Amino acid sequence: MEPTPEQSPHHAYPDHWEADVVLRDGGTARIRPITTDDAERLVSFYEQVSDESKYYRFFAPYPRLSDRDVHRFTHHDYVDRVGLAVTIGGEFIGTVRYDRINDQGRPASAPADEAEVAFLVQDAHQGRGVASALLEHIAAVARERGIRRFAAEVLPANNKMIKVFRDGGYTQRRSFEDGSVHLTLDLEPTEKSLAVQRGREQRAEARSVQRLLAPGSVAVIGTGRTPGGVGRTVLRNLLASGYTGRTYAVNRAFDEGMPTLDGVPAHRSLGEIDEQVDLAVIAVPAHRVPEAVADCGEHGVQGLVVLSAGYAERGADGRELQRELVRQARSYGMRIIGPNAFGVINTAESVRLNASLAPESPARGRIGLFTQSGAIGIALLSGLHRRGAGLSSFISAGNRADVSGNDFLQYSFEDPDTDVALLYLESLGNPRKFTRLARRTAAVKPVVVVKGARHSGSTPPGHAVPVSRIPDATVSALMRQAGVIRVDTVTEMVDAGLLLAGQPLPAGPRVAILGNSESLGLLTYDACLAEGLRPRPPIDLTTAASPQDFRGALAEALADGTCDSVIVTAIPWVGENGEAETGDGHVLAAALHKAVAGPVSYTHL
């Protein structure tokens, strides 16, 4: 979107100011500079604003914008005069502008470092955090242009706008002059303003994932008319999981008048559905996805799970298709899991959602699982199922064009149903943000990561987002500093997840080791030292030890105030009658369970 000759020839359109933002309710919007091409959008936007909001903006009845106003509000030099708009579906839902002023409050140019700022948000979108997002972005723009302070005149009754300024976290001064509140904000970031921004980011991104995992209704677009196929499989899994919301089957190839499919309403398009659809699972060929996304956007769908393949994993042409898919979805305020995704699962009793290709819904549990690879997702789900473990939630992001591991960390941080977060990551799109989010999440619940694609400079196929090209040793150091538990295989991830979900955290690094193999005890001792723990000398119960001997030794170790956790190792042993005794892992585990009163790890070979 280039500026016209009417705009200052010295300042090109600043496309680096364009940004997609997640709003307070989890929806998305786009912030961009206003240009001369936006006159009609501005007029339409203003017509939809209430008279009260117009009065708060202009301090007088102002039913319509004059031609002069429209020209002034759409012509900027991007230095002394800047306007930003928040758009959804290409239409304005909020605007902000600043005009540089001098000490007398008159229009000025640099080196004057103060600007007057004013906001206007459509009433239907107030309360979504639009003005707060605009304040963050216009403040960043102003600092870039050498402006250090904002001045604003606000009517005393305009409590919403006063709160936006007050809650921004910037140092401010306030006075009452001529019937209005005069506010001055210093734009230098403070610890409080950064905390406000990150808090808003955390709540918005967590909410956006929560909307995807707990929809009130789901439409499967591309449901086949005959059994089999991706769409029909997802529909079957939704029904089998006992999903508590409304379910719809959508396929433009359905016969007209076809009432149901597998017992759920069948429709040729979303437009035929009378009720709100929150989540759409798209399972159509890639060339038909844009049509399906447009149908979703025009009918108010909140989020998409795109199972369709044929995107960045296919090369340059596919990467461009993927970028356009994200642009299209975000223009309607929708977030995407995928494309090339395996699906999502939420085992909460109030939801029971299995919108995935997983044939069995996992049991309810306290583990949240995120994976980029569908194949790894299958392996992890299978491993957890074999071990009798449950999940709280599962996301397979596929090509990770939008929703990422960072979003999952934001969600896991405040999800009361998740005690442990497991992530299989093929790349780190934003290592700095990942480290910040992981550190905060790991402070309240364990975070376990398997990092795939470990060779420096490698790029996993299908990823159109920037990926880290930092050495693997640096990645490990970042994770260690953030308190993340990094493991090397999915088997280790399952083991760690089960241990962390089922055991209390140790109070310290002191470890007692006991078992019936001296060699295993020494190996365990060395492993503890390598991890910075403080192990006690191993206790060898000898191969003659019975389950009762193990139980007694464990109870004694747990009662000893000099250790914080216990590691029990056992090898098979066959008694004189030739039958397994200690070698029966289930018998030994049952005996140990009776003595457990603290953090215990049990390994049976």
Side-chain angles (χ1 to χ4, degrees), residues 230-231 233-238 281-283 304-309 336-345 353-362 369-382 391 394-400:
V230 173
T233 298
V234 173
L235 181 64
R236 181 194 66 206
N237 293 342
L238 272 168
V281 180
I282 298 180
L304 308 173
V305 176
V306 181
L307 307 181
S308 312
I336 298 175
I337 291 176
N340 199 24
F342 189 70
V344 298
I345 296 173
L353 172 75
N354 181 3
S356 78
L357 298 172
E360 292 182 326
S361 292
L369 174 60
F370 175 91
T371 174
Q372 294 174 207
S373 163
I376 297 298
I378 294 171
L380 285 166
L381 289 173
S382 177
L391 290 177
F394 167 75
I395 294 178
S396 168
N399 291 3
R400 200 198 65 184

Side-chain angles (χ1 to χ4, degrees), residues 46-47 78 169 224 231-232 253 279 287-288 314 338 345 466 482 486 599:
Y46 195 77
E47 289 175 346
Y78 302 127
R232 193 68 175 269
L279 178 69
H287 70 274
R288 286 183 49 204
R314 298 286 179 87
I345 296 173
R486 181 175 181 180

Side-chain angles (χ1 to χ4, degrees), residues 488-557:
D488 294 323
T489 68
V490 294
T491 301
E492 291 179 359
M493 173 179 274
V494 171
D495 290 341
L498 290 174
L499 177 65
L500 293 166
Q503 292 287 326
L505 293 177
R510 302 172 301 176
V511 182
I513 302 168
L514 61 92
N516 62 350
S517 166
E518 182 180 11
S519 298
L520 268 183
L522 291 174
L523 285 173
T524 305
Y525 182 86
D526 289 341
C528 289
L529 287 176
E531 294 300 327
L533 300 174
R534 291 164 49 192
R536 289 168 46 182
I539 299 173
D540 181 15
L541 302 177
T542 78
T543 55
S546 68
Q548 290 70 31
D549 294 328
F550 271 87
R551 184 177 67 190
L554 175 59
E556 183 177 347

Side-chain angles (χ1 to χ4, degrees), residues 34 212 214 343 411 442 555:
I34 297 174
L212 293 164
Y411 171 77

Side-chain angles (χ1 to χ4, degrees), residues 543 545 547 572-584 587:
T543 55
W573 170 68
V574 180
E576 295 180 359
N577 60 3
E579 295 181 358
E581 293 184 12
T582 311
D584 187 336
V587 172

Side-chain angles (χ1 to χ4, degrees), residues 123-139:
D123 295 71
H125 293 277
Q126 292 179 10
R128 301 184 66 195
V130 174
S132 297
L134 279 172
L135 177 58
E136 289 179 19
H137 285 259
I138 198 68

